[in-house]
Amino acid sequence: MEMGYMWMRRVRFGSNSLFLAMAFPSPASPAPALRYASRHPLFSSICLKPPLLISLASSHGNRSISISTPSCFSSASPLLSLPENDDLPDFGRGEKSFQNMPEGSKVLLKGMNYGEFQEWVQSHGFRPGQALMLWKRLYGDNIWAHDIDELEGLNKDFKKMLSEHAELRALSLKDIRMASDGTRKILFVLDDGLVIETVVIPCDRGRTTVCVSSQVGCAMNCQFCYTGRMGLRRHLTAAEIVEQAVYARRLLSGDIGSITNVVFMGMGEPFHNIENVIKAADIMVDEQGLHFSPRKVTVSTSGLVPQMKRFLHESSCALAVSLNATTDEVRNWIMPINRKYKLNLLLETLREELKFKNNYKVLFEYVMLAGINDSIEDANRLIDLVKGIPCKINLISFNPHSGSQFRPSSDEKMIEFRNILAKGGCIVFMRFSRGDDQMAACGQLGNPGSIQAPVLRVPEQFRVALNTGT
């Protein structure tokens, strides 16, 4: 059966509202509907095939949207191509240029890299040196300003202009939850009422990492990930991404010391929002501002190959690839993006691209799922898969969550797996849960709510391992 797609929108009539839905059959292009949905992220629903790459609707207040699962939610559905760059939703195209801002609106300063920032300041009649002074008050000198009143030392006329034309803050703090191991989960509210989560992870070795989100929810529907249950609500802007790191330093540096590392491993698939992610990473490594080392800013992907190639060409930051399986059969199930970009294509692309990057190692992340991907055979296949790729491998303990059908591999099994990889010549590390008692660990972020992405059919050979007959 050919797959279609649909959108849904709420229309107001005074104090009442009505939901309208429209379905579009194949083979019409989904790009217009994707663009429409991106402009109405709270009241739109796109059904992509397979069920897996899906944007789900949400609503304000206590209103909810009831969407019956269409027949396209079959695990046998062919995969609709992900939009290429020209067809990305508008939310993924970076901040709007300040030159095209509607009259009277305010620009978010943290949405601009330094070149754009300096140009904006000069467009209002002020010198480049004042741009640098403002930049340092936003990102450096231990100020991390959020309000005009915190901009000490700036020209009075300059501050007046900023109060009329600029916004310093992209996020509002909702809550900070501290886990028993010292990990902090920070909840932020966006201007549209949606909530994102950022995690700060202290380490005894003097390294503290902030884990930032790039989207509200995620469209990839990886079966072991709680965030994936949400579907995609919308992309974050560059300002909303950068502000997470700024806020983390502002809130916690006094308690836990310097935050040294950034990982784009929070909510969302970073390369599905590549424009804003590359810009945010560029702002984070600016030497006059946050000044993170590019080697200590790591962007993770589930395997969007064209965007991965672009990142390797345009960014000096580190790359992590969430691998999690050694066969296409298993990866197709637990990471449906593999139906679009197979293991061989993903790994061959890395092999070729890394030939041209000196002293660069990709980090492979491998979440250990009991009875699914943790066998001796898997370990030996993994050694063969990564041959010729300069890399390190992180073995990650699976973090259970509500509704999960998976179980973590035992510590003994992880050690056995690690030893096999090490004997095979791999650089390998084990990463155990941090912050899991506050749902702050890897794969635990977000709040799916009542509308959730579909659980895919379990391949027959793994049903015993999952204790399921379905």
Side-chain angles (χ1 to χ4, degrees), residues 174-179 182-187 197 438 440:
K174 180 180 180 181
D175 195 13
I176 301 177
R177 299 172 186 171
M178 189 161 91
T183 297
R184 274 81 160 177
K185 180 164 76 170
I186 310 172
L187 279 67
E197 298 178 1
Q438 287 292 337

Side-chain angles (χ1 to χ4, degrees), residues 53-106:
L53 306 174
I54 178 171
S55 177
L56 296 171
S58 70
S59 61
H60 282 307
N62 296 321
R63 299 182 181 95
S64 63
I65 302 173
S66 175
I67 302 177
S68 58
T69 304
S71 58
C72 67
F73 287 169
S74 153
S75 62
S77 299
L79 179 61
L80 178 68
S81 296
L82 279 173
E84 300 296 341
N85 286 342
D86 288 342
D87 289 334
L88 280 172
D90 290 348
F91 266 109
R93 289 194 170 278
E95 310 292 331
K96 292 181 180 177
S97 168
F98 67 82
Q99 296 169 332
N100 299 321
M101 294 290 289
E103 188 174 350
S105 63
K106 292 187 175 184

Side-chain angles (χ1 to χ4, degrees), residues 255-448:
D255 292 338
I256 60 178
S258 177
I259 294 174
T260 58
N261 293 55
V262 182
V263 293
F264 285 70
M265 298 179 187
M267 299 167 64
E269 162 55 62
F271 287 171
H272 195 197
N273 185 17
I274 184 128
E275 296 285 347
N276 291 323
V277 164
I278 286 181
K279 176 178 270 193
D282 181 47
I283 294 169
M284 289 176 184
V285 301
D286 188 281
E287 293 181 358
Q288 298 293 339
L290 292 173
H291 198 190
F292 287 104
S293 164
R295 293 183 296 107
K296 295 184 178 181
V297 176
T298 303
V299 182
S300 177
T301 181
S302 60
L304 277 67
V305 170
Q307 290 86 349
M308 182 180 73
K309 288 175 68 174
R310 177 181 167 184
F311 174 81
L312 288 170
H313 288 187
E314 295 184 16
S315 178
S316 59
C317 295
L319 172 68
V321 175
S322 193
L323 203 58
N324 306 323
T326 62
T327 67
D328 283 324
E329 180 184 24
V330 175
R331 205 165 189 266
N332 286 348
W333 162 41
I334 64 173
M335 298 184 69
I337 189 62
N338 197 74
R339 302 184 189 189
K340 171 70 174 175
Y341 303 114
K342 301 289 188 186
L343 270 171
N344 186 61
L345 174 63
L346 173 64
L347 297 172
E348 281 301 318
T349 300
L350 285 170
R351 243 177 228 106
E352 288 302 310
E353 293 296 328
L354 295 189
K355 287 178 182 177
F356 306 102
K357 292 183 79 76
N358 294 327
N359 301 317
Y360 192 98
K361 285 185 172 67
V362 64
L363 175 66
F364 286 116
E365 301 166 299
Y366 197 92
V367 176
M368 302 284 289
L369 306 171
I372 306 300
N373 65 0
D374 61 353
S375 68
I376 292 173
E377 292 75 20
D378 281 306
N380 287 320
R381 277 194 296 265
L382 185 54
I383 293 168
D384 291 334
L385 285 173
V386 302
K387 274 182 181 171
I389 303 175
C391 67
K392 298 178 286 187
I393 300 172
N394 254 3
L395 302 180
I396 303 171
S397 179
F398 170 67
N399 301 299
H401 49 78
S402 174
S404 170
Q405 55 188 335
F406 298 100
R407 294 177 294 109
S409 300
S410 66
D411 291 352
E412 293 76 18
K413 176 63 78 171
M414 289 185 68
I415 291 169
E416 178 186 42
F417 201 94
R418 178 200 63 186
N419 291 344
I420 294 171
L421 295 181
K423 280 186 181 178
C426 298
I427 302 171
V428 57
F429 304 94
M430 292 173 60
R431 197 171 92 202
F432 294 100
S433 296
R434 295 291 306 272
D436 56 328
D437 58 327
Q438 287 292 337
M439 288 292 286
C442 181
Q444 289 185 330
L445 302 185
N447 182 13

Side-chain angles (χ1 to χ4, degrees), residues 130-236:
Q130 289 169 303
L132 182 58
M133 289 174 67
L134 175 58
W135 182 266
K136 287 186 174 182
R137 280 154 180 77
L138 293 179
Y139 298 124
D141 297 337
N142 296 330
I143 299 173
W144 309 303
H146 275 166
D147 300 295
I148 299 294
D149 293 341
E150 297 174 338
L151 298 177
E152 294 182 6
L154 295 186
N155 177 289
K156 184 169 69 173
D157 291 336
F158 188 34
K159 289 173 68 173
K160 183 175 183 293
M161 183 277 291
L162 292 173
S163 67
E164 293 172 352
H165 298 288
E167 290 282 357
L168 274 64
R169 191 184 314 209
L171 305 173
S172 298
L173 178 65
K174 180 180 180 181
D175 195 13
I176 301 177
R177 299 172 186 171
M178 189 161 91
S180 57
D181 61 9
T183 297
R184 274 81 160 177
K185 180 164 76 170
I186 310 172
L187 279 67
F188 293 111
V189 181
L190 310 179
D191 283 346
D192 53 16
L194 296 174
V195 176
I196 58 168
E197 298 178 1
T198 305
V199 179
V200 178
I201 310 163
C203 179
D204 293 337
R205 297 191 299 273
R207 180 187 67 203
T208 297
T209 299
V210 57
C211 176
V212 300
S213 294
S214 56
Q215 297 176 310
V216 185
C218 184
M220 299 299 107
N221 199 19
C222 295
Q223 294 293 284
F224 49 84
C225 180
Y226 193 56
T227 310
R229 311 278 351 111
M230 295 177 65
L232 176 63
R233 307 295 168 86
R234 75 165 171 88
H235 297 311
L236 297 185

